[in-house]
Amino acid sequence: MANTPHGGILKDLYARDESKQATLQVEAESLPTLTLTERQLCDLELILNGGFSPLEGFLTKEEYDSVIKNMRLPDGTLWTMPIYLDVDRTELDRLGVSTGSRVALRDPRDDQVLAILTVTSEFQVDRAVEAEAVYGANDQAHPAVQYLFQSTRDTYVGGPLEAVNAPQHHDYVAIRRSPAEVRTLFKKLNWTRVVAFQTRNPMHRAHRELTVRAARMRHANVLIQPVVGLTKPGDIDHFTRVRVYQAIMPKYPNGMAQLSLLPLAMRMGGPREAVWHAIIRKNFGATHFIVGRDHAGPGKNSAGQDFYGPYEAQELVLRYRDELDIEVVPFQMLTYLPETDEYMPINEVPEGTKTLNISGTELRRRLKTGAPIPEWFSYPEVVRILREANPPRDKQGFTVFLTGLHASGKEAIARALQVALNQEGGRSVSLLLGETIRHELSSELGFTKRERDINVGRIGFVAAELTRAGAACIAAPIAPYNDARQLVKTQVSKSGGFYLVHVATPLEACIKNDRSGVYQRAIDGEIKGFTGIDDVYENPENPDLVADITKTAISQIVHEIILLLERDGYIGDR
């Protein structure tokens, strides 16, 4: 039979409040409304469906303080992660929300009312204390600490929830199961011993071997329960990952494993998070839980050291295993032994035995460059899915961002580069000239720093979308400020290549080249805030190329850009 929920009872608020759902729906329309963030949406769903049992709402101050200091709720129940609703104080004041208020919580995607919160607690916290207590360091190299300081609002609101509607998902609906549904599935399949496996990464042969070993050791079935809420920034998107999981499921013996998705917002909290994950899997009915090396680890801190020890998470979960009442299955990292064609925990490998491994960094490099990925590491079906989502460089998009003063020659370079790339073929080429963007997308904007940054931000958005679609994008705005250019680089680099070209033609030459006469009008005071005359142009700090049309022919500048693209594999046949 399925494991007993944490705290003894599955707090399924949908089932509890089903009889009054219609009444709550009507009431919600007259209540003040808060629209949830993406993280809050994930948290709310797991509170409402019982995944966070014994919680029945967002933490109050008393509960928060107890969890932060003692890893327990006030009644002594083990609970390691603070689950709170953070809101701007100004927003609460605008809505007239205070202790005793009832508030409708809405889905940010479709504005549907999901729950009603009765506010019993409003409080502010010391974020540094929370960072140290929960994540072990006040260091914004940790993604959850960065989120805490940069995205969390100033007031935490706690209190009980009443369920109105479940969030509507449109992806992989058949394998998005609540704790009650997973427990029903176990009963239908006659599963009495279940090992749960948590992952936020694609699965390969080693993961399949690890889970089968765990099942064999514990005479159990396997629940593959990957996170599809929020994971570590930079992780592979969940659509790609779920396709990988679906491809790997037939590799298990028939009837051994089931796949079910978890809408969790991970915090990458290492040891505390591992205990939290064990509690969640217990609520879903699992009797065993795999805790691997560096479970829920965020990587390196600002000093270049790991935030947590490799087996620190295992140690904390094992410390509370009796109280958790879920058996922990600790595992060392598995490594491949080519001489015997098998995987083995690294601590069991005989001394002197040849081993092979491919790190996550090396895998990403091979995907980007198109280098081969051996079958001993992953299944061909999995590799094919990953390559579709991570095409090699010659199939990826890129942006060449030319910045410089008006009449510096950047537009001429951009047009010549467009011709060269069209001649090369292989991808569509789009040209975003500064004047075109001003006319088509930013005609309402002036030339203050804020308005210039908005304009450059719009160029960055379009460039990032074109790059994501595999196109070549050439942008040629003035873009005078470093911070705005850096934001564009950050946007574009998520999807492909980004090359910053500083067209550093001297101001005197730009004035001479200016046939429109705008420089002279700026010098005469007719135009205010003109870049290079009475407004600053910040030279790029680390451009990929510096060009000056008074010293180098446009054809040569274009050739040098082409060489950069060829060097990195975006063009040319390797």
Side-chain angles (χ1 to χ4, degrees):
M1 59 182 293
N3 203 348
T4 303
H6 195 54
I9 300 173
L10 184 69
K11 301 291 187 175
D12 184 342
L13 306 193
Y14 296 122
R16 185 198 67 185
D17 298 334
E18 184 178 10
S19 63
K20 56 181 179 179
Q21 190 269 343
T23 302
L24 292 171
Q25 182 76 55
V26 172
E27 181 191 2
E29 297 305 320
S30 64
L31 294 176
T33 290
L34 291 173
T35 299
L36 301 169
T37 65
E38 193 174 359
R39 178 196 273 192
Q40 292 167 353
L41 177 63
C42 292
D43 289 348
L44 180 73
E45 182 170 2
L46 286 168
I47 295 172
L48 296 180
N49 70 19
F52 283 177
S53 294
L55 301 191
E56 295 183 81
F58 290 103
L59 297 187
T60 64
K61 186 177 190 310
E62 180 188 12
E63 293 167 334
Y64 170 88
D65 288 342
S66 182
V67 168
I68 292 294
K69 295 173 184 176
N70 307 315
M71 296 198 298
R72 296 183 181 279
L73 296 169
D75 65 3
T77 303
L78 183 67
W79 188 268
T80 55
M81 301 299 288
I83 308 298
Y84 46 75
L85 183 68
D86 56 297
V87 187
D88 284 325
R89 180 74 257 173
T90 54
E91 178 72 359
L92 293 173
D93 292 341
R94 184 185 69 81
L95 294 171
V97 172
S98 59
T99 300
S101 297
R102 285 170 65 77
V103 183
L105 304 181
R106 291 185 180 269
D107 192 319
R109 303 165 303 168
D110 58 13
D111 203 41
Q112 179 175 238
V113 174
L114 303 179
I116 294 176
L117 169 71
T118 300
V119 178
T120 60
S121 182
E122 306 166 65
F123 56 103
Q124 296 183 326
V125 304
D126 186 326
R127 299 182 191 191
V129 170
E130 181 178 325
E132 288 282 358
V134 179
Y135 306 111
N138 183 12
D139 183 346
Q140 292 197 37
H142 193 300
V145 177
Q146 182 185 59
Y147 186 95
L148 177 64
F149 280 92
Q150 297 187 16
S151 300
T152 302
R153 278 80 71 89
D154 60 8
T155 302
Y156 292 5
V157 177
L161 290 162
E162 293 169 281
V164 181
N165 293 295
Q168 294 297 305
H169 296 288
H170 303 286
D171 58 329
Y172 309 114
V173 176
I175 51 175
R176 286 181 178 268
R177 301 186 182 98
S178 69
E181 290 169 334
V182 170
R183 288 167 170 274
T184 299
L185 178 65
F186 291 169
K187 184 176 181 180
K188 180 178 180 180
L189 296 173
N190 293 315
W191 285 12
T192 57
R193 298 170 64 84
V194 181
V195 176
F197 178 63
Q198 146 97 23
T199 183
R200 45 170 259 269
N201 294 312
M203 290 178 67
H204 302 289
R205 286 185 182 270
H207 302 98
R208 187 264 185 198
E209 177 64 21
L210 183 153
T211 51
V212 170
R213 277 174 171 260
R216 192 183 304 134
M217 291 165 55
R218 298 304 192 272
H219 307 287
N221 292 92
V222 178
L223 175 67
I224 306 296
Q225 197 174 41
V227 172
V228 294
L230 298 181
T231 59
K232 184 180 177 182
D235 279 354
I236 292 175
D237 68 277
H238 82 270
F239 297 103
T240 299
R241 290 190 289 110
V242 174
R243 289 197 294 273
V244 165
Y245 306 139
Q246 290 174 322
I248 211 169
M249 292 306 293
K251 306 301 180 182
Y252 288 92
N254 187 40
M256 174 180 280
Q258 286 285 330
L259 173 64
S260 187
L261 308 183
L262 183 70
L264 178 70
M266 290 184 68
R267 273 65 164 178
M268 308 307 299
R272 276 198 182 222
E273 180 139 350
V275 175
W276 186 43
H277 289 174
I279 292 170
I280 293 168
R281 274 31 184 245
K282 180 183 176 184
N283 287 329
F284 275 84
T287 55
H288 300 70
F289 179 54
I290 296 172
V291 180
R293 183 182 184 278
D294 194 29
H295 188 102
K300 306 291 185 183
N301 61 22
S302 56
Q305 304 297 316
D306 289 333
F307 272 98
Y308 312 114
Y311 300 106
E312 197 174 335
Q314 288 184 2
E315 292 165 3
L316 189 65
V317 178
L318 287 169
R319 187 187 310 168
Y320 292 104
R321 60 184 166 187
D322 292 338
E323 193 170 350
L324 284 168
D325 197 25
I326 184 171
E327 185 177 339
V328 178
V329 185
F331 262 100
Q332 299 269 336
M333 183 178 75
L334 296 187
T335 189
Y336 179 68
L337 280 59
E339 293 177 358
T340 54
D341 187 27
E342 65 177 327
Y343 277 90
M344 185 177 291
I346 197 166
N347 61 325
E348 298 178 14
V349 176
E351 186 175 351
T353 302
K354 181 180 179 181
T355 63
L356 296 175
N357 191 34
I358 293 178
S359 68
T361 300
E362 173 62 14
L363 175 61
R364 288 189 289 273
R365 186 195 71 79
R366 292 182 184 223
L367 288 171
K368 282 187 176 181
T369 62
I373 298 170
E375 287 196 29
W376 63 259
F377 176 78
S378 194
Y379 298 100
E381 301 93 327
V382 169
V383 173
R384 184 174 63 251
I385 292 166
L386 292 177
R387 288 205 186 281
E388 288 172 357
N390 299 270
R393 284 280 175 84
D394 63 346
K395 303 298 182 185
Q396 293 176 25
F398 60 83
T399 291
V400 177
F401 193 93
L402 301 114
T403 172
L405 296 173
H406 172 69
S408 62
K410 60 186 182 299
E411 293 89 351
I413 297 169
R415 290 190 176 96
L417 179 60
Q418 182 186 32
V419 170
L421 291 176
N422 277 328
Q423 178 176 290
E424 177 74 23
R427 55 170 62 81
S428 63
V429 184
S430 294
L431 184 61
L432 306 178
L433 296 178
E435 289 301 315
T436 304
I437 295 298
R438 276 281 176 180
H439 182 266
E440 298 294 339
L441 295 181
S442 300
S443 59
E444 85 286 6
L445 296 178
F447 292 89
T448 65
K449 181 180 186 307
R450 176 179 173 276
E451 290 170 310
R452 288 177 189 269
D453 286 350
I454 291 172
N455 179 58
V456 172
R458 291 174 180 175
I459 294 172
F461 172 78
V462 174
E465 289 298 299
L466 289 168
T467 299
R468 187 168 64 86
C473 176
I474 306 165
I478 293 174
Y481 305 119
N482 274 318
D483 53 356
R485 293 190 295 255
Q486 183 58 43
L487 285 175
V488 174
K489 180 178 181 179
T490 300
Q491 281 181 293
V492 172
S493 297
K494 294 176 181 177
S495 304
F498 180 85
Y499 296 87
L500 181 64
V501 178
H502 179 201
V503 184
T505 305
L507 177 61
E508 297 75 15
C510 294
I511 293 173
K512 184 178 179 180
N513 293 338
D514 175 30
R515 297 179 60 189
S516 65
V518 292
Y519 273 114
Q520 190 59 52
R521 291 173 62 197
I523 293 169
D524 293 340
E526 296 178 28
I527 301 176
K528 301 295 183 182
F530 195 86
T531 302
I533 302 301
D534 59 347
D535 198 10
V536 66
Y537 178 86
E538 298 173 355
N539 288 331
E541 295 172 353
N542 294 295
D544 297 285
L545 181 67
V546 178
D548 177 351
I549 64 170
T550 65
K551 297 179 180 178
T552 309
I554 286 176
S555 60
Q556 177 62 27
I557 295 169
V558 168
H559 180 61
E560 292 180 19
I561 296 171
I562 293 292
L563 289 175
L564 287 175
L565 294 168
E566 192 282 331
R567 177 199 69 189
D568 293 338
Y570 286 103
I571 61 175
D573 186 9
R574 295 193 172 189

